[in-house]
Amino acid sequence: MSRSIVFDSPFLLGFEHTRALAERAAKAAAEAYPPYNVEDRGEGRLRITLAVAGFTPDQLQVTVEDRQLVVAGRRDDERKAEDAYLHRGIAARGFLRSFVLADGMIVEGASLEHGLLHIDLARPEPETSVKTIPIRSAG
């Protein structure tokens, strides 16, 4: 992946973490399976819905690590060899889909319903804090 010229500016020092987040987001956007929706539910709440028909809750895993939400689907490799398909349009492979979360985003929960995995996220209002900085005199 090519590096962003914006983050290579000498005026933006210490933004390596932001560059890494942008690169992870670009990589995640290039993935195409499984299809998903991101829904704005108002008041700082989001819902990610992934189409995971054929997966059971035991075959799905939702984790958050270092502000990255990762959804993994694992298929059992014990497929019947005698199954003969005339057409196979339903994907039967595992997947790994990731989303980069903004600071403060929390995952409230996940549910599987009718082949759709719903992941609910929220961004609580940050607490306002005012810090007074003492001014020292030099003499």
Side-chain angles (χ1 to χ4, degrees):
M1 171 174 280
S2 63
R3 293 175 64 130
S4 173
I5 295 173
V6 173
F7 294 111
D8 289 335
S9 168
F11 301 109
L12 296 173
L13 301 176
F15 284 89
E16 294 80 12
H17 183 70
T18 305
R19 176 190 340 203
L21 285 174
E23 288 174 357
R24 284 190 343 210
K27 180 183 175 195
E31 299 170 1
Y33 177 77
Y36 67 94
N37 293 334
V38 179
E39 177 184 354
D40 183 353
R41 302 193 71 156
E43 299 180 8
R45 298 190 179 287
L46 299 173
R47 173 175 270 187
I48 300 171
T49 301
L50 292 98
V52 294
F55 285 88
T56 65
D58 294 339
Q59 295 171 319
L60 297 168
Q61 183 179 22
V62 179
T63 58
V64 177
E65 183 179 347
D66 190 28
R67 295 184 358 200
Q68 185 164 352
L69 170 67
V70 178
V71 183
R74 303 283 180 237
R75 288 289 194 173
D76 297 331
D77 290 342
E78 301 172 7
R79 291 280 176 196
K80 296 178 186 175
E82 64 270 8
D83 288 348
Y85 293 94
L86 298 177
H87 172 75
R88 189 166 189 171
I90 299 173
R93 65 181 188 269
F95 67 88
L96 190 68
R97 164 78 68 184
S98 61
F99 302 88
V100 178
L101 302 177
D103 281 335
M105 292 293 294
I106 59 169
V107 177
E108 292 184 323
S111 62
L112 183 62
E113 179 182 14
H114 304 297
L116 298 174
L117 176 64
H118 302 290
I119 303 170
D120 293 313
L121 302 128
R123 183 191 318 233
E125 288 292 324
E127 295 180 15
T128 304
S129 65
V130 177
K131 182 178 178 181
T132 303
I133 310 300
I135 302 172
R136 296 180 290 171
S137 80

